[in-house]
C-alpha cells in the first residue's frame, strides 16, 4: 500500500460546523475522528480521505456508491449522515458508536452477547446480499457497537471507493478475505468467508489463519462452547473452495437459524452442569467444615 500523508487536523480545530475532538484511527485511505456537530449539538464520527487522494474520479465513485448505499437501509448497516466538501476536504459524517468489535474482543464476551451480535451482523449482510450489494471488507474494525446493544456494519461502499482509489491496496484486508477475493474476484461468497472468520474468532477466542486447516487454533475451546452442528456451519462458511461455501449470507443465515435452538440448548446444558458442580463443591466444603467443628 502506498504511503499517503496524514490528514493534518488538530484537536479542537473547526472544520465547517464540526469541532475535532480526537483521532479514532487512520488507514491508507482516510483518517477517522470524533467530532462535535456544533449546530446539532451531537457527537459524530468523521471519515476524511487523505487530501492527495481526493479528485474528480474519487468524488464520482463516492457519489455512485453513496446512492447505492442509500438503497440498503437496514438497522444493522451504518448509514452516512452527511457528506460535504469543507475547505477542500471530503468530510463524511457517521453516527458515533461506543467502540468497534475489534475493541470489544479484547474483553471476555458471553455466549448470549456473541449470539446477539452474530444475529445482527448476519441479518445486515443478508439484507445487502438480497439487493446484490457486497461489502468486500468485513472485519471487526468495521463493526460499530452502540450503547443500546446494537451493532452496525460500517464502510459499505466506501471500502469499494478505497480499493478503486489506492492502487495496489488489494480488494479487502489481508487476514480477513477469501482466496478468490485476494485474486480480485470478490462475491457474496467472499463476504460469507469474512463473516465466518469473524464469528469463529468471537466463539473460539483465536483467529484462524491460512491455510485454514482443521483443527484450527481455538478449536478445543470452541468444542466446549457450541455443538458440532454449529462447528460444521462455521467450517462451511470458511471453506477455501468458494463453491463449497454458502453462496450468500441469506443461505448462511437460514442455516444458522435452523441450528440456533440446538446451540442454545447446548449452552444451557453446559451451564446446568457447572451449577451442579458448584453446588456439589459447596455441599462438600460445608460437610468438611461441619466435621471440623464437631
Amino acid at each position: 500500500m502506498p504511503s499517503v500523508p496524514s490528514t493534518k487536523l488538530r484537536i479542537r480545530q473547526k472544520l465547517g460546523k464540526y469541532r475535532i475532538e480526537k483521532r479514532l484511527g487512520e488507514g491508507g485511505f482516510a483518517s477517522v475522528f470524533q467530532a462535535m456537530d456544533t449546530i446539532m449539538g451531537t457527537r459524530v464520527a468523521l471519515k476524511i480521505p487523505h487530501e492527495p487522494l481526493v479528485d474528480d474520479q474519487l468524488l464520482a465513485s463516492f457519489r455512485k456508491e453513496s446512492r447505492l448505499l442509500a438503497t440498503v437501509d437496514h438497522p444493522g448497516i451504518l448509514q452516512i449522515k452527511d457528506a460535504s466538501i469543507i475547505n477542500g476536504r471530503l468530510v463524511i459524517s457517521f453516527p458515533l458508536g461506543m467502540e468497534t468489535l475489534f475493541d470489544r474482543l479484547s474483553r471476555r464476551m458471553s455466549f448470549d452477547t456473541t449470539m446477539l451480535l452474530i444475529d445482527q451482523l448476519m441479518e445486515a449482510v443478508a439484507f445487502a446480499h438480497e439487493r446484490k450489494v457486497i461489502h468486500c471488507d468485513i472485519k471487526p474494525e468495521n463493526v460499530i457497537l452502540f450503547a443500546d446493544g446494537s451493532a452496525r456494519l460500517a464502510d459499505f461502499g466506501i471500502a469499494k471507493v478505497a480499493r478503486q482509489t489506492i492502487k495496489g491496496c488489494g480488494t479487502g484486508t489481508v487476514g480477513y478475505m477469501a482466496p478468490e477475493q485476494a485474486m480480485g474476484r470478490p462475491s457474496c461468497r467472499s463476504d460469507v468467508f469474512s463473516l465466518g472468520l469473524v464469528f469463529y474468532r468471537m466463539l473460539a477466542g483465536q483467529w484462524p489463519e491460512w491455510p485454514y486447516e482443521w483443527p484450527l487454533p481455538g478449536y478445543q475451546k470452541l468444542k466446549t462452547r457450541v455443538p458440532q452442528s454449529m462447528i460444521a456451519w462455521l467450517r462451511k462458511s470458511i471453506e477455501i473452495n468458494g463453491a463449497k461455501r454458502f453462496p450468500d449470507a441469506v443461505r448462511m443465515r437460514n442455516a444458522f437459524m435452523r441450528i440456533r435452538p440446538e446451540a442454545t440448548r447446548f449452552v444451557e446444558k453446559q451451564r446446568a452442569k457447572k451449577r451442579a458442580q458448584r453446588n456439589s463443591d459447596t455441599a462438600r466444603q460445608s460437610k468438611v467444615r461441619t466435621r471440623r467443628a464437631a
Side-chain angles (χ1 to χ4, degrees):
M1 183 177 292
S3 176
V4 180
S6 301
T7 302
K8 300 298 183 182
L9 289 171
R10 302 183 305 277
I11 303 305
R12 300 196 62 79
Q13 177 178 341
K14 286 290 292 292
L15 190 60
K17 67 175 182 175
Y18 303 109
R19 184 174 66 248
I20 303 298
E21 293 186 334
K22 65 179 178 179
R23 184 185 297 270
L24 299 177
E26 182 171 347
F29 176 69
S31 295
V32 182
F33 299 89
Q34 174 182 305
M36 172 64 72
D37 182 330
T38 58
I39 293 179
M40 300 300 294
T42 57
R43 287 186 167 85
V44 298
L46 299 182
K47 175 162 281 196
I48 305 178
H50 302 305
E51 293 175 84
L53 301 178
V54 180
D55 56 18
D56 291 342
Q57 182 178 353
L58 179 141
L59 293 175
S61 296
F62 177 73
R63 280 193 292 268
K64 177 182 177 182
E65 294 302 320
S66 297
R67 290 167 184 171
L68 178 61
L69 174 60
T71 69
V72 190
D73 188 8
H74 186 274
I77 295 175
L78 190 70
Q79 291 288 339
I80 295 173
K81 289 171 64 71
D82 183 54
S84 308
I85 301 294
I86 305 175
N87 299 341
R89 293 184 170 96
L90 174 59
V91 179
I92 310 165
S93 170
F94 298 91
L96 179 68
M98 292 194 310
E99 60 182 345
T100 67
L101 178 59
F102 179 83
D103 299 324
R104 181 64 184 83
L105 286 172
S106 65
R107 309 189 304 276
R108 183 183 178 278
M109 186 183 297
S110 71
F111 178 82
D112 293 339
T113 297
T114 299
M115 296 296 275
L116 177 62
L117 292 176
I118 289 175
D119 283 338
Q120 293 182 72
L121 291 175
M122 275 202 305
E123 288 295 339
V125 181
F127 185 87
H129 284 184
E130 286 176 327
R131 286 149 184 81
K132 310 303 180 185
V133 177
I134 59 176
H135 190 285
C136 296
D137 198 17
I138 296 173
K139 57 184 179 180
E141 292 89 337
N142 279 338
V143 178
I144 311 301
L145 307 182
F146 289 79
D148 63 358
S150 65
R152 303 182 203 175
L153 187 56
D155 267 11
F156 263 104
I158 293 180
K160 184 175 180 181
V161 173
R163 292 200 316 276
Q164 295 170 342
T165 302
I166 306 176
K167 294 180 180 179
C169 75
T171 60
T173 301
V174 175
Y176 300 91
M177 59 180 165
E180 73 277 5
Q181 184 175 340
M183 298 176 68
R185 298 193 300 273
S187 68
C188 290
R189 293 178 190 270
S190 309
D191 278 354
V192 166
F193 186 88
S194 298
L195 278 175
L197 291 181
V198 172
F199 297 159
Y200 187 95
R201 166 62 181 84
M202 292 168 68
L203 289 163
Q206 293 188 50
W207 280 111
E209 297 179 351
W210 180 266
Y212 306 109
E213 294 178 351
W214 290 77
L216 298 170
Y219 179 67
Q220 294 304 317
K221 178 179 179 180
L222 183 67
K223 289 196 301 182
T224 67
R225 298 198 74 191
V226 298
Q228 283 298 319
S229 59
M230 193 162 184
I231 294 175
W233 174 78
L234 286 169
R235 188 166 184 169
K236 183 171 182 178
S237 301
I238 56 178
E239 277 282 356
I240 292 296
N241 184 346
K244 295 181 179 181
R245 253 178 263 145
F246 296 106
D248 54 42
V250 177
R251 258 66 68 91
M252 183 185 186
R253 176 201 60 195
N254 293 345
F256 175 73
M257 295 307 295
R258 289 193 293 271
I259 64 174
R260 199 186 196 290
E262 182 184 354
T264 300
R265 290 193 299 270
F266 180 89
V267 171
E268 289 174 349
K269 186 176 181 180
Q270 295 296 94
R271 288 172 177 169
K273 286 182 179 179
K274 289 181 180 179
R275 285 195 299 270
Q277 184 62 51
R278 285 196 299 268
N279 292 339
S280 176
D281 291 343
T282 300
R284 189 181 307 110
Q285 292 169 3
S286 178
K287 289 180 180 178
V288 170
R289 287 195 296 268
T290 300
R291 284 198 299 269
R292 287 176 178 174

